[in-house]
Every structure is written in structure tokens, then in C-alpha cells.
């Protein structure tokens, strides 16, 4: 819910963020599912209604800012000031020679690819907020200070995101299992 009591929903299958306001559902952000298998998206902020949001999964509010997990691109989006942009996670693909791990390709203004090629954006890497890597982020919540906790499901861990960096808060990245204990030794 927004601070005003409006219900916002990550409409996963329709590639949109929707809002329930005064008994009516409207698209807040995203152009929806494309008929073409090719998707194109930009690193630059995009207007809410013309943004290409791919498979959003969860969202949360901090004041008037919305943060959303974008599972297919393995990033965290920020929706603020009537635009959508990547808040956390590398928005450049990895080299095809090492899917899921390795050095990032040089940044470009836009990327295009089929849904199958999205695997090249995923990975596990702590670091600067805009160069860290996620693998299928699904859950998200925000603290009163504006820091984020992200359920990084493909990496089996909980990540902490602040204005500068992404770090692993709980779990051992990329190792799946069940183990209680100290946060950095627990398994998910």
C-alpha cells in the first residue's frame, strides 16, 4: 500500500505495475507484454507509461518512491519522479562465454535480446549498487531509512542495498540448502 492507502501490484504476467485507486484498476507503469519475442530496454530513466518492465515480482514504498524487483533482468527498479530506472544491479549483460558469472560487457545505451538471453544479466556479486549482480530477485522490503532487503532467490540469499552498495546480509550466495545459524552461515 502507498502512504495514501492505494494498492499497487506487480502484475508479473502482464509486465506492468498496476494501481487500485477508488475502486478502479489502472496501469501505473509499463507498456505490457510485447507480441514480438524481442525486447528492448534502456539504461536511462524512462517515462512510467512507456517503460518496458519485464516480469516484475514484488514492490515496496519509501515515501513517494516505489522499488520493484524485475526478475527477468535481475535488477531492482526505482519508480520516482514520473520515471523508471535501474536502482540496483548491473544492467549490462555478461560476456556470452561465461553466462551467469564473470566480467560485465562494456555498457551501452540500450540492450535487446530474447527472453532466453536474460540469463546473461544474472550473477552473484556484491559491490557498488549499480554493478552488483542478482539472480531472480523476488521479494523486497524497505527500512525507514530507505535501505532495501532483497530476497535474491536464484542466489539463495538475502541482500542488503543502500545508496552506495549491495552486500549479502544472510545466506551463502549460490549455495542452496537449509541451515539455521549466524546470518552469513545460514542456508536458504
Amino acid at each position: 500500500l502507498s502512504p495514501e492507502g492505494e494498492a499497487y501490484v506487480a502484475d508479473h504476467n502482464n509486465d506492468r505495475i498496476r494501481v487500485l485507486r477508488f475502486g478502479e484498476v489502472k496501469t501505473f507503469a509499463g507498456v505490457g507484454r510485447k507480441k514480438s519475442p524481442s525486447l528492448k530496454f534502456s539504461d536511462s530513466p524512462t517515462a512510467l507509461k512507456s517503460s518496458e518492465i519485464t516480469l516484475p515480482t514484488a514492490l515496496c514504498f519509501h515515501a513517494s518512491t516505489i522499488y520493484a524487483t524485475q526478475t527477468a533482468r535481475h535488477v531492482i527498479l526505482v519508480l520516482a519522479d514520473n520515471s523508471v530506472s535501474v536502482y540496483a544491479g548491473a544492467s549490462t549483460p555478461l560476456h556470452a562465454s561465461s553466462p551467469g558469472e564473470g566480467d560485465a560487457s562494456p555498457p551501452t545505451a540500450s540492450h535487446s535480446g530474447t527472453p532466453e538471453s536474460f540469463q546473461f544479466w544474472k550473477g552473484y556479486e556484491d559491490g557498488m549498487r549499480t554493478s552488483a549482480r542478482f539472480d531472480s530477485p523476488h521479494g523486497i522490503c524497505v527500512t525507514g531509512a530507505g535501505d532495501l532487503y532483497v530476497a535474491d532467490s536464484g542466489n539463495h540469499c538475502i541482500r542488503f542495498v543502500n545508496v552506495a552498495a549491495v552486500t549479502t546480509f544472510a545466506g551463502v550466495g549460490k549455495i542452496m540448502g537449509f541451515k539455521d545459524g549466524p546470518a552469513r552461515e545460514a542456508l536458504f
Side-chain angles (χ1 to χ4, degrees):
L1 290 177
S2 73
E4 294 80 27
E6 301 164 324
Y8 284 75
V9 177
D11 190 350
H12 183 78
N13 290 327
N14 290 310
D15 293 338
R16 298 171 191 238
I17 305 293
R18 316 273 299 277
V19 60
L20 173 59
R21 191 180 282 148
F22 306 113
E24 189 171 326
V25 176
K26 292 192 174 196
T27 297
F28 178 74
V31 294
R33 183 114 5 224
K34 297 279 191 184
K35 291 182 180 178
S36 166
S38 178
L39 302 171
K40 186 175 181 180
F41 37 88
S42 173
D43 290 338
S44 304
T46 316
L48 289 172
K49 296 282 175 128
S50 62
S51 59
E52 293 196 23
I53 296 171
T54 310
L55 302 174
T57 330
L59 48 87
C60 63
F61 274 89
H62 184 256
S64 61
T65 300
I66 300 173
Y67 297 97
T69 56
Q70 187 168 346
T71 304
R73 274 187 71 200
H74 312 286
V75 295
I76 308 306
L77 300 177
V78 60
L79 293 79
D81 301 321
N82 292 315
S83 67
V84 178
S85 58
V86 174
Y87 180 73
S91 58
T92 56
L94 295 166
H95 291 296
S97 62
S98 57
E101 296 186 46
D103 297 325
S105 298
T108 60
S110 65
H111 312 287
S112 62
T114 61
E116 295 79 27
S117 70
F118 288 138
Q119 68 176 322
F120 297 111
W121 275 267
K122 71 181 180 181
Y124 174 74
E125 186 176 338
D126 286 341
M128 299 302 296
R129 180 173 50 88
T130 56
S131 61
R133 298 233 176 240
F134 294 90
D135 183 353
S136 303
H138 274 79
I140 189 168
C141 64
V142 64
T143 69
D147 299 324
L148 303 173
Y149 288 92
V150 177
D152 192 359
S153 65
N155 285 319
H156 313 287
C157 62
I158 308 298
R159 310 289 286 282
F160 176 77
V161 183
N162 64 24
V163 296
V166 174
T167 57
T168 301
F169 177 75
V172 180
K174 298 181 83 163
I175 299 176
M176 180 174 61
F178 175 82
K179 179 181 172 189
D180 290 339
R184 291 302 309 268
E185 296 173 15
L187 297 178
F188 295 92

